[in-house]
Amino acid sequence: RLFTAADSDDICTTIRFINSKRPWTTIMGVGWGYGANMLTKYLVEAGESTPLTAAVCIDNPFDLQEATRTFPHNIALDQKLTAGLVDILRANKELFQGKDKDFDVQKALSANCLRDFDGAISMVSHGFANVDDFYSENSVRPLVAGVKIPVLFIQ
């Protein structure tokens, strides 16, 4: 899979690794943008079992549907994220091609916005039929109350 705000597994793996190497260390997490969504998602999933003491989430989109709409302040970031994902896909496109795969690689490679890219690749890799369901299921706005450690949200 490619990076998506729906994934918390990278964060979980990293925290587990750091904690296994330095179990006596106080660990705090910081996430920015879609990384803040990923960190919040991880915190809800891990609950009280997280080794993190606290976290800071900066510019968390909270609602992925709203964040991917074309608002003027989101356009530059959206285009930058899309370009980065397209570059990663271009370098690894053979992993997403094949008769048994439902990815629309050509659409993703020509995507001009994150929503188009997610509709061609990300939602498919997570088993969703449409991008709105994918965004709705992976937005953290309704989950924030389930975070069990102190978190500072800075918008």
Side-chain angles (χ1 to χ4, degrees):
R1 292 191 317 214
L2 289 176
F3 165 85
T4 170
D7 288 330
S8 61
D9 51 342
D10 286 348
I11 291 174
C12 183
T13 300
T14 301
I15 291 169
R16 248 189 283 135
F17 175 79
I18 293 168
N19 196 46
S20 73
K21 299 298 180 190
R22 301 181 64 93
W24 62 89
T25 302
T26 299
I27 306 172
M28 295 193 281
V30 178
W32 174 73
Y34 287 108
N37 194 84
M38 295 164 64
L39 178 56
T40 304
K41 193 168 187 294
Y42 160 78
L43 292 172
V44 171
E45 293 167 353
E48 293 175 356
S49 68
T50 182
L52 293 181
T53 303
V56 176
C57 292
I58 303 165
D59 202 20
N60 192 329
F62 292 109
D63 183 330
L64 298 175
Q65 288 175 311
E66 183 179 313
T68 57
R69 291 192 184 110
T70 314
F71 294 123
H73 63 278
N74 291 339
I75 292 173
L77 177 60
D78 186 272
Q79 290 173 343
K80 193 172 212 164
L81 285 171
T82 303
L85 289 169
V86 167
D87 287 346
I88 293 169
L89 179 61
R90 188 174 289 115
N92 298 284
K93 66 183 176 185
E94 58 279 346
L95 298 173
F96 293 87
Q97 294 173 322
K99 63 179 181 171
D100 295 332
K101 299 179 181 173
D102 294 326
F103 301 110
D104 190 339
V105 175
Q106 291 310 309
K107 181 179 177 184
L109 288 173
S110 63
N112 293 317
C113 65
L114 197 54
R115 188 174 186 84
D116 290 345
F117 185 91
D118 283 341
I121 300 293
S122 304
M123 71 168 207
V124 176
S125 69
H126 286 270
F128 287 88
N130 70 64
V131 74
D132 287 324
D133 288 346
F134 170 69
Y135 285 151
S136 179
E137 183 68 27
N138 291 291
S139 294
V140 297
R141 177 176 283 160
L143 307 177
V144 171
V147 174
K148 302 295 184 193
I149 64 167
V151 178
L152 174 63
F153 290 102
I154 301 172
Q155 293 304 103

